[in-house]
Every structure is written in structure tokens, then in C-alpha cells.
Coordinates of all heavy atoms in Angstrom, one line a residue:
L1 N 0.8 -1.2 0.0 CA 0.0 0.0 0.0 C 0.9 1.2 0.0 O 1.7 1.4 0.9 CB -0.9 0.0 1.2 CG -1.9 1.2 1.2 CD1 -3.3 0.8 1.8 CD2 -1.4 2.4 2.0
M2 N 0.7 2.1 -1.0 CA 1.4 3.3 -1.1 C 0.4 4.5 -0.8 O -0.7 4.4 -1.4 CB 2.1 3.5 -2.4 CG 2.8 4.9 -2.5 SD 3.8 5.0 -4.0 CE 2.7 5.0 -5.3
V3 N 0.8 5.4 0.0 CA 0.0 6.6 0.2 C 0.5 7.6 -0.8 O 1.7 8.0 -0.8 CB 0.1 7.2 1.6 CG1 -0.7 8.4 1.7 CG2 -0.5 6.1 2.6
S4 N -0.4 8.0 -1.8 CA 0.0 9.0 -2.8 C -0.6 10.3 -2.5 O -0.6 10.8 -1.4 CB -0.4 8.4 -4.2 OG 0.1 9.3 -5.2
Y5 N -1.3 10.9 -3.6 CA -1.8 12.2 -3.5 C -3.0 12.3 -4.5 O -2.9 11.9 -5.6 CB -0.7 13.2 -3.8 CG -1.0 14.5 -4.5 CD1 -1.8 15.4 -4.0 CD2 -0.4 14.7 -5.8 CE1 -2.1 16.6 -4.6 CE2 -0.7 15.9 -6.4 CZ -1.6 16.8 -5.9 OH -1.8 18.0 -6.5
L6 N -4.1 12.8 -4.0 CA -5.3 12.9 -4.8 C -5.1 13.5 -6.2 O -5.7 13.0 -7.2 CB -6.4 13.7 -4.0 CG -7.7 13.9 -4.7 CD1 -8.4 12.5 -4.8 CD2 -8.6 14.8 -3.8
G7 N -4.3 14.5 -6.3 CA -4.1 15.2 -7.6 C -3.1 14.6 -8.5 O -2.7 15.2 -9.5
S8 N -2.5 13.4 -8.2 CA -1.5 12.8 -9.0 C -2.1 12.2 -10.2 O -2.5 11.0 -10.2 CB -0.7 11.8 -8.1 OG 0.2 11.1 -8.9
R9 N -2.1 13.0 -11.3 CA -2.7 12.5 -12.6 C -2.1 13.4 -13.7 O -1.9 14.6 -13.5 CB -4.2 12.8 -12.6 CG -5.0 12.0 -11.6 CD -6.5 12.1 -11.9 NE -7.1 11.2 -11.0 CZ -7.2 9.9 -11.2 NH1 -6.7 9.3 -12.3 NH2 -7.9 9.1 -10.3
R10 N -1.9 12.8 -14.8 CA -1.5 13.5 -16.0 C -2.6 14.0 -16.8 O -2.5 15.0 -17.5 CB -0.6 12.6 -16.9 CG 0.7 12.3 -16.2 CD 1.7 11.6 -17.2 NE 2.8 11.1 -16.5 CZ 3.9 11.7 -16.1 NH1 4.0 13.0 -16.4 NH2 4.9 11.1 -15.5
K11 N -3.8 13.3 -16.8 CA -4.9 13.7 -17.6 C -6.2 13.8 -16.7 O -6.3 13.1 -15.7 CB -5.2 12.6 -18.7 CG -4.0 12.5 -19.7 CD -4.4 11.4 -20.7 CE -3.2 11.1 -21.6 NZ -3.4 10.0 -22.4
Q12 N -7.1 14.6 -17.2 CA -8.4 14.7 -16.5 C -9.2 13.5 -16.6 O -9.5 13.0 -17.7 CB -9.1 15.9 -17.1 CG -10.5 16.2 -16.4 CD -11.2 17.4 -17.0 OE1 -10.7 18.0 -17.9 NE2 -12.4 17.7 -16.5
P13 N -9.6 12.9 -15.4 CA -10.4 11.7 -15.5 C -11.8 12.1 -16.0 O -12.3 13.2 -15.7 CB -10.4 11.1 -14.1 CG -10.0 12.3 -13.2 CD -9.2 13.2 -14.1
S14 N -12.5 11.2 -16.6 CA -13.9 11.4 -17.1 C -14.9 11.9 -16.1 O -15.8 12.6 -16.4 CB -14.4 10.2 -17.9 OG -14.5 9.1 -17.0
W15 N -14.7 11.5 -14.8 CA -15.6 11.8 -13.8 C -15.4 13.1 -13.1 O -16.1 13.5 -12.2 CB -15.7 10.6 -12.8 CG -14.3 10.3 -12.1 CD1 -13.8 11.0 -11.1 CD2 -13.4 9.4 -12.5 NE1 -12.5 10.5 -10.8 CE2 -12.3 9.5 -11.6 CE3 -13.3 8.4 -13.5 CZ2 -11.1 8.7 -11.7 CZ3 -12.2 7.6 -13.6 CH2 -11.1 7.8 -12.7
M16 N -14.3 13.8 -13.4 CA -13.9 15.0 -12.7 C -14.3 16.2 -13.5 O -13.9 16.4 -14.6 CB -12.4 15.0 -12.4 CG -12.0 16.2 -11.5 SD -10.2 16.1 -11.1 CE -10.1 14.7 -10.1
P17 N -15.1 17.1 -12.9 CA -15.6 18.3 -13.6 C -14.4 19.2 -13.9 O -13.3 19.2 -13.2 CB -16.5 19.0 -12.5 CG -16.8 18.0 -11.5 CD -15.7 17.0 -11.5
D18 N -14.6 20.1 -14.9 CA -13.5 20.9 -15.4 C -13.0 21.9 -14.3 O -11.8 22.1 -14.2 CB -14.0 21.8 -16.6 CG -14.3 21.0 -17.8 OD1 -13.8 19.8 -17.9 OD2 -14.9 21.5 -18.7
D19 N -13.8 22.4 -13.5 CA -13.4 23.3 -12.4 C -12.5 22.6 -11.4 O -11.5 23.2 -10.9 CB -14.5 24.1 -11.7 CG -15.5 23.1 -11.0 OD1 -15.7 22.0 -11.5 OD2 -16.1 23.6 -10.0
E20 N -12.8 21.4 -11.1 CA -12.0 20.6 -10.2 C -10.6 20.3 -10.8 O -9.6 20.3 -10.2 CB -12.7 19.3 -9.7 CG -13.9 19.5 -8.8 CD -13.5 20.0 -7.4 OE1 -12.4 19.7 -6.9 OE2 -14.3 20.7 -6.8
W21 N -10.7 19.9 -12.1 CA -9.4 19.6 -12.8 C -8.6 20.8 -12.9 O -7.3 20.7 -12.8 CB -9.7 19.0 -14.2 CG -8.5 18.7 -15.0 CD1 -8.0 19.3 -16.1 CD2 -7.5 17.8 -14.6 NE1 -6.8 18.8 -16.5 CE2 -6.5 17.8 -15.6 CE3 -7.3 16.8 -13.6 CZ2 -5.3 17.0 -15.6 CZ3 -6.2 16.0 -13.6 CH2 -5.2 16.1 -14.6
A22 N -9.1 22.0 -13.1 CA -8.4 23.2 -13.2 C -7.6 23.4 -11.9 O -6.5 23.9 -11.9 CB -9.3 24.4 -13.5
G23 N -8.2 23.1 -10.7 CA -7.6 23.2 -9.5 C -6.4 22.3 -9.3 O -5.3 22.6 -8.8
V24 N -6.6 21.0 -9.8 CA -5.5 20.1 -9.8 C -4.3 20.6 -10.7 O -3.2 20.5 -10.2 CB -6.0 18.7 -10.4 CG1 -4.8 17.7 -10.6 CG2 -7.0 18.1 -9.4
V25 N -4.6 21.1 -11.8 CA -3.6 21.6 -12.7 C -2.8 22.7 -12.1 O -1.6 22.8 -12.1 CB -4.2 22.0 -14.1 CG1 -3.1 22.7 -15.0 CG2 -4.7 20.7 -14.8
K26 N -3.5 23.6 -11.4 CA -2.9 24.8 -10.8 C -1.9 24.3 -9.7 O -0.8 24.7 -9.6 CB -3.9 25.7 -10.2 CG -3.3 26.9 -9.6 CD -4.3 27.9 -9.1 CE -3.5 29.1 -8.5 NZ -4.3 30.3 -8.3
V27 N -2.4 23.4 -8.8 CA -1.5 22.9 -7.8 C -0.3 22.1 -8.4 O 0.8 22.3 -8.0 CB -2.3 21.9 -6.8 CG1 -1.3 21.2 -5.9 CG2 -3.3 22.7 -6.0
N28 N -0.6 21.3 -9.4 CA 0.5 20.5 -10.0 C 1.5 21.3 -10.8 O 2.7 20.8 -10.9 CB -0.1 19.4 -10.9 CG -0.7 18.3 -10.1 OD1 -0.7 18.3 -8.8 ND2 -1.4 17.4 -10.7
T29 N 1.1 22.4 -11.3 CA 2.1 23.2 -12.1 C 2.6 24.5 -11.4 O 3.7 24.9 -11.8 CB 1.4 23.6 -13.5 OG1 0.2 24.4 -13.2 CG2 1.0 22.4 -14.3
E30 N 1.8 25.0 -10.5 CA 2.2 26.3 -9.9 C 2.6 26.1 -8.4 O 3.5 26.8 -7.9 CB 1.1 27.3 -10.0 CG 0.8 27.7 -11.4 CD -0.4 28.6 -11.5 OE1 -0.6 29.4 -10.6 OE2 -1.0 28.6 -12.6
V31 N 1.9 25.3 -7.6 CA 2.1 25.2 -6.2 C 3.1 24.2 -5.8 O 4.1 24.5 -5.1 CB 0.8 25.0 -5.5 CG1 0.9 24.9 -4.0 CG2 -0.3 26.1 -5.8
L32 N 2.9 23.0 -6.3 CA 3.8 21.8 -5.9 C 4.2 21.0 -7.1 O 4.0 19.8 -7.2 CB 3.1 20.9 -4.9 CG 2.8 21.5 -3.5 CD1 1.9 20.5 -2.8 CD2 4.1 21.7 -2.8
P33 N 4.9 21.7 -8.1 CA 5.2 20.9 -9.3 C 6.2 19.7 -9.1 O 6.0 18.7 -9.8 CB 5.8 22.0 -10.3 CG 6.3 23.1 -9.4 CD 5.3 23.0 -8.2
T34 N 7.2 19.9 -8.3 CA 8.1 18.8 -8.1 C 7.4 17.6 -7.4 O 7.6 16.5 -7.7 CB 9.3 19.3 -7.3 OG1 9.9 20.4 -8.0 CG2 10.4 18.2 -7.1
Y35 N 6.6 18.0 -6.4 CA 5.9 16.9 -5.6 C 5.0 16.2 -6.6 O 4.9 14.9 -6.6 CB 5.1 17.6 -4.5 CG 4.3 16.6 -3.7 CD1 4.9 15.7 -2.8 CD2 2.9 16.7 -3.7 CE1 4.2 14.8 -2.0 CE2 2.2 15.8 -2.9 CZ 2.8 14.9 -2.1 OH 2.0 14.1 -1.3
A36 N 4.2 16.9 -7.4 CA 3.3 16.3 -8.3 C 4.0 15.4 -9.3 O 3.6 14.3 -9.6 CB 2.5 17.4 -9.1
Q37 N 5.1 15.8 -9.8 CA 5.9 15.0 -10.7 C 6.4 13.8 -10.0 O 6.3 12.7 -10.6 CB 7.2 15.8 -11.2 CG 8.1 15.0 -12.1 CD 9.5 15.7 -12.3 OE1 9.6 16.9 -12.0 NE2 10.4 15.0 -12.7
A38 N 6.9 13.9 -8.8 CA 7.5 12.7 -8.1 C 6.3 11.7 -7.8 O 6.5 10.5 -8.0 CB 8.1 13.2 -6.8
K39 N 5.2 12.2 -7.4 CA 4.1 11.3 -7.1 C 3.6 10.6 -8.4 O 3.3 9.4 -8.4 CB 3.0 12.0 -6.4 CG 3.3 12.3 -4.9 CD 3.5 11.1 -4.2 CE 3.4 11.3 -2.7 NZ 3.6 10.0 -2.0
Q40 N 3.5 11.4 -9.5 CA 3.0 10.8 -10.7 C 3.9 9.7 -11.2 O 3.5 8.6 -11.6 CB 2.9 11.8 -11.8 CG 1.7 12.8 -11.6 CD 1.8 13.9 -12.6 OE1 2.6 14.1 -13.4 NE2 0.8 14.8 -12.5
E41 N 5.2 9.9 -11.1 CA 6.2 8.9 -11.5 C 6.1 7.7 -10.6 O 6.1 6.6 -11.1 CB 7.6 9.5 -11.4 CG 8.7 8.6 -11.7 CD 8.8 8.2 -13.2 OE1 8.4 9.0 -14.0 OE2 9.4 7.1 -13.4
A42 N 6.0 7.8 -9.3 CA 5.9 6.7 -8.4 C 4.6 5.9 -8.6 O 4.6 4.7 -8.7 CB 6.0 7.2 -7.0

């Protein structure tokens, strides 16, 4: 069992609304880009 991060995704899942996905993208690119990259890779 690995504990990851809710926003660890490269693409918007079909079930996630655009406004929620925009928040994920902002965190992953502006707030915690290295963390998002590390989690996605793992």
C-alpha cells in the first residue's frame, strides 16, 4: 500500500468536472510541481 496524492494525474479523468481539474492543474504546475511530478512517477 502506497499513500500517494489525490491530484497525482497526468490527464483529467472522465468523472472529474472541469473546475476541479483546473484546481489540480494549478497545484501540480504552480504550487507543488516537483511533488506532483514525483508522485505521478511513483
Side-chain angles (χ1 to χ4, degrees):
L1 184 141
M2 178 169 65
V3 177
S4 186
Y5 146 65
L6 181 63
S8 176
R9 300 192 170 278
R10 292 191 191 276
K11 297 179 187 172
Q12 180 178 0
S14 61
W15 59 84
M16 188 177 290
D18 291 343
D19 62 328
E20 290 289 333
W21 179 246
V24 170
V25 170
K26 182 174 181 165
V27 170
N28 288 355
T29 60
E30 297 175 26
V31 180
L32 293 170
T34 304
Y35 179 70
Q37 174 194 344
K39 285 302 199 179
Q40 287 171 2
E41 178 68 25

